[in-house]
């Protein structure tokens, strides 16, 4: 979910749905399925964004939420040895 707002313009009205979808949704899904995944050899593919690494002042909240997705991808496998984080790399829309 994306909202184009600067930090001063971001209210809780925008914060809650963006972090709910982009952060809480990713976290709760990973937490629920990671323990079972290792038994079946499957992986999770989280969709991040370059916005998690490159600052755009007009999308401050979106940037922060996508940085969370990136950090979550790197830290979740620490709990499951032998499952290194992977990144398919950038993609472009046709």
């Amino acid at each position: 979910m994306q909202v184009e707002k600067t930090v001063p313009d971001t209210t809780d009205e925008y914060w809650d749905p963006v972090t709910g979808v982009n952060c809480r949704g990713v976290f709760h899904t990973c937490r629920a399925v990671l323990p079972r995944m290792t038994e079946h050899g499957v992986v999770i593919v989280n969709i991040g964004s370059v916005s998690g690494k490159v600052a755009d002042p007009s999308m401050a909240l979106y940037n922060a939420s996508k940085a969370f997705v990136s950090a979550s991808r790197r830290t979740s496998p620490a709990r499951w040895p032998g499952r290194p984080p992977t990144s398919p790399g950038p993609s472009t829309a046709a």
Side-chain angles (χ1 to χ4, degrees), residues 20-63:
V21 170
N22 296 352
C23 299
R24 187 176 295 140
V26 168
F27 175 77
H28 283 273
T29 301
C30 290
R31 182 179 65 183
V33 301
L34 276 170
R36 292 177 199 91
M37 285 179 44
T38 57
E39 299 169 10
H40 302 286
V42 297
V43 299
I44 292 176
V45 176
N46 287 327
I47 305 301
S49 171
V50 69
S51 294
K53 295 181 178 189
V54 178
D56 178 345
S58 70
M59 298 189 336
L61 181 55
Y62 180 76
N63 297 341

Side-chain angles (χ1 to χ4, degrees), residues 46-48 53 73 86-92:
N46 287 327
I47 305 301
K53 295 181 178 189
R73 177 191 61 79
T86 59
S87 180
S91 63
T92 57

Side-chain angles (χ1 to χ4, degrees), residues 71-93:
S72 177
R73 177 191 61 79
R74 290 189 310 273
T75 58
S76 292
R79 167 77 170 75
W80 290 269
R83 301 300 300 241
T86 59
S87 180
S91 63
T92 57

